Amino acid sequence: MERVLVVGAGFMGAGIAQVCAQAGHQVSLMDVKPEVLEKAMQGMKVSVGKLAQKGLINDEPAAVLDRVRPVNNLESAAQADWVIEAALEIESLKLELFTELDRLAPAATPLASNTSSIPISRLAAATARPQRVLGMHFFGPVPLMGLVEVVKGDKTSDEVFDRAMAFIRALGKHPVRVGRDIPGFVMNRVFAAAFREAVNLVATGVTTPEDLDAGMRLGYGWGAGPFEVVDNAGLDTFVLIDRFLQSMGESELVARSDLVEKLVEEGRLGRKVGKGFYDYTPEGKRVPRKDD
Ligand SMILES: NC(=O)c1ccc[n+]([C@@H]2O[C@H](COP(=O)([O-])OP(=O)(O)OC[C@H]3O[C@@H](n4cnc5c(N)ncnc54)[C@H](O)[C@@H]3O)[C@@H](O)[C@H]2O)c1
């Protein structure tokens, strides 16, 4: 059992807290918004209950939930063996958090970020322990996805990196090694390259999202096609990642068409609002897009 502080209780932080508690860790889950913490605890109850019904967790649901303590400040960093930051993807906010966490947490505690795009080395530079700062890039929904990228910053020590790989394995997840702090890490770079081509093919009228997604599932064994993936993650999030990659000089990974930006302007943000590349019924079933 280790003590874990998860900072940010949104979509990702709540899931990270849950899988840590399922693995037997004692978790403090911190957010600045009480309503977010309440929603996170309620969502966790439902999710843990469903997983228990399916026989996917060994513990009693109540025992798992008892291991998560919602908190509204960072003080529990002082007792943490691990800190995992999953607050909003805003660099200035994360820099402030890392400075504060570095002040509060024991010197030996690794500080991990779940950032999708901000270089780990920049966050590490806000601390006096850059050798103990690294990326833990979970995929969402965290309780259901088996993958976590473990990202080495310029100064992350081998010892901390290896401990993080073991920590992720003990959560029952597969850690993908990212040995260098490059924009988009590994999985988002590969996905961005595929998605760039997929968007170009749809934007130029060569094919449709439905056909291309079916093709990737049936022809290449993808679990979901690229448009399904982006609808699930949020088109607005994807635009932010694209812009960030562009700002880092990675324009070969960025779509040449402005189709995604146009859909975002139309409010088609993906599954979370019931419409994106596809439409969604109130029950969450994906259906081909109807014109607005
Ligand atoms: N959504 C995804 O699919 C996904 C996948 C991988 C990584 N990420 C990354 O995970 C992080 C969180 O993303 P999310 O989708 O959970 O976002 P989210 O908006 O659901 O949650 C972010 C939370 O951070 C909280 N927050 C804001 N300021 C804070 C502070 N000072 N201290 C503590 N909490 C604070 C907000 O109240 C909010 O609840 C981001 O860095 C994002 O890039 C997201």
Side-chain angles (χ1 to χ4, degrees):
M1 187 280 284
E2 295 193 275
R3 287 161 302 182
V4 183
L5 167 62
V6 178
V7 180
F11 175 58
M12 297 302 291
I16 295 168
Q18 179 180 328
V19 297
C20 288
Q22 284 171 196
H25 299 309
Q26 207 65 47
V27 183
S28 298
L29 176 60
M30 186 269 172
D31 205 287
V32 284
K33 293 190 176 162
E35 68 276 15
V36 171
L37 278 171
E38 200 170 307
K39 187 173 164 216
M41 297 306 291
Q42 273 166 9
M44 220 178 288
K45 194 172 173 191
V46 173
S47 172
V48 170
K50 277 190 194 160
L51 293 174
Q53 265 176 7
K54 290 182 186 160
L56 295 174
I57 52 174
N58 304 325
D59 250 340
E60 285 298 316
V64 173
L65 297 168
D66 271 355
R67 287 197 281 271
V68 184
R69 190 167 61 99
V71 295
N72 63 6
N73 61 57
L74 295 175
E75 274 160 28
S76 46
Q79 289 86 42
D81 300 305
W82 289 92
V83 174
I84 307 174
E85 173 276 320
L88 291 175
E89 187 76 345
I90 300 174
E91 187 173 358
S92 56
L93 169 72
K94 289 195 195 279
L95 290 173
E96 264 176 42
L97 282 170
F98 270 74
T99 304
E100 187 62 3
L101 290 165
D102 186 41
R103 194 178 67 76
L104 294 168
T109 298
L111 307 180
S113 176
N114 186 48
T115 178
S116 315
S117 61
I118 299 164
I120 298 304
S121 308
R122 287 198 204 163
L123 302 178
T127 74
R129 67 180 85 194
Q131 71 284 11
R132 293 200 184 83
V133 176
L134 77 164
M136 280 187 186
H137 185 216
F138 288 78
F139 280 59
V142 180
L144 303 181
M145 300 292 274
L147 166 71
V148 182
E149 287 182 293
V150 179
V151 186
K152 205 166 184 194
D154 293 349
K155 297 193 175 156
T156 314
S157 72
D158 288 342
E159 188 255 335
V160 166
F161 189 76
D162 291 346
R163 270 176 60 202
M165 295 284 286
F167 179 85
I168 295 299
R169 277 192 206 100
L171 297 183
K173 307 283 183 201
H174 183 91
V176 167
R177 181 182 290 270
V178 183
R180 197 148 49 85
D181 190 13
I182 56 170
F185 309 139
V186 168
M187 303 314 299
N188 278 351
R189 285 182 79 85
V190 173
F191 183 79
F195 189 64
R196 177 207 61 190
E197 201 48 40
V199 167
N200 291 341
L201 290 166
V202 167
T204 50
V206 177
T207 190
T208 62
E210 292 82 357
D211 281 335
L212 196 140
D213 279 347
M216 295 310 288
R217 276 190 264 106
L218 299 172
Y220 288 95
W222 285 31
F227 296 102
E228 293 162 357
V229 170
V230 170
D231 261 9
N232 288 341
L235 275 68
D236 46 348
T237 304
F238 213 80
V239 167
L240 290 179
I241 293 175
D242 253 14
R243 282 195 196 138
F244 185 79
L245 288 171
Q246 190 119 42
S247 76
M248 299 287 287
E250 304 283 344
S251 38
E252 81 278 11
L253 295 175
V254 175
R256 286 185 293 275
S257 147
D258 58 0
L259 177 61
V260 185
E261 282 88 342
K262 274 196 189 139
L263 291 173
V264 169
E265 277 165 25
E266 289 166 18
R268 289 191 159 268
L269 305 184
R271 183 183 277 282
K272 61 188 169 190
V273 297
K275 56 184 185 173
F277 282 102
Y278 293 90
D279 284 341
Y280 296 84
T281 65
E283 298 74 41
K285 191 169 173 289
R286 187 173 56 242
V287 291
R289 181 182 160 181
K290 293 181 289 299
D291 284 333
D292 293 314

